[in-house]
Amino acid sequence: MVNFIHKDCYDVQDLVQIVKLLRSEDGCPWDREQTHQSIRQNFIEETYEVCEAIDNSDVALLREELGDVLLQVVFHAQMEDERGNFNLQAVADEVCKKLIVRHPHVFGDVTADTTSQVLANWDEIKRKTKGQKTNTDAMDSVARSLPALMRAEKIQSKARKCGFDWEDATGAEDKVMEEIRELKEADDAHRMEEAGDFLFAAVNLVRLHGINPELALSRASDKFLRRFGAMEKLATEKGLKLEALILSEMDKLWEEVKRLEGVGGEL
């Protein structure tokens, strides 16, 4: 314990030993009680915080959040080490072997001079090593735990690789309009299904325009939040409370915010 406290610089092995100590009888009750399932959400949240640091170009925050993700990796590996299944070394060994196998143009005699060639080789090797014999197997391998927009985009991209895709965005636009009509006409029993079809078609359209649907929706949410905040501020400046306004009155404030934004840039 003293060595841990007084070290000037720690490394990954120190992290492994600290987590091992925290999980021990002499460690922390909370850490001992955790399971893969109990900290699953923590892993997701830490990963998104890394993404936020990247989006904000915050290098210091990125370093911190990567450390939090690394802690999650070490923590999960430690739990399996306690069960005698594998440890962090085995995790590193497996990913190193995977990288070597999937980069034959670097570690072997395969030629791949472009990114497209590299990705084609990667997909072919992945399918072989994962035992994916069909295109359906490849699509079914997309994790169901992914955000729904992201999963839809990945499935559609895999379908495109075998030629099952619109030639351009025109067909996808028509499909979106078709799904909107079907959603409007759906009864209660089929409304959920039609809503899903509409969203899936919308992802297809966005993808064919070369736009990441997850990122696009995230930015749209940010824009809505920014404009809503500006609308509420504007209402306050006018001596009004949003809760007391009817929708048409709020719409007028919203349009005023949009006009101000157009004049002075983002609010």
Side-chain angles (χ1 to χ4, degrees), residues 4 20 44 47 62-63 67 80 85 119-120 132 137-138 143 154 158 166 184 215 218 238 241 262:
F4 285 138
K20 185 174 182 179
I44 294 171
T47 302
L62 177 60
R63 181 183 63 230
E80 289 306 313
N85 292 329
L119 293 177
Q132 298 169 359
D137 288 340
K154 289 180 74 69
K158 288 182 180 295
W166 304 104
K184 290 171 65 176
L215 181 59
S218 180
K238 293 176 180 287
K241 296 194 70 171

Side-chain angles (χ1 to χ4, degrees), residues 1-2 14 98 110 122 207 231 237-238:
M1 177 68 73
V2 175
D14 288 321
K98 181 189 294 184
V110 172
W122 180 282
R207 176 182 59 82
M231 178 181 68
E237 291 172 351
K238 293 176 180 287

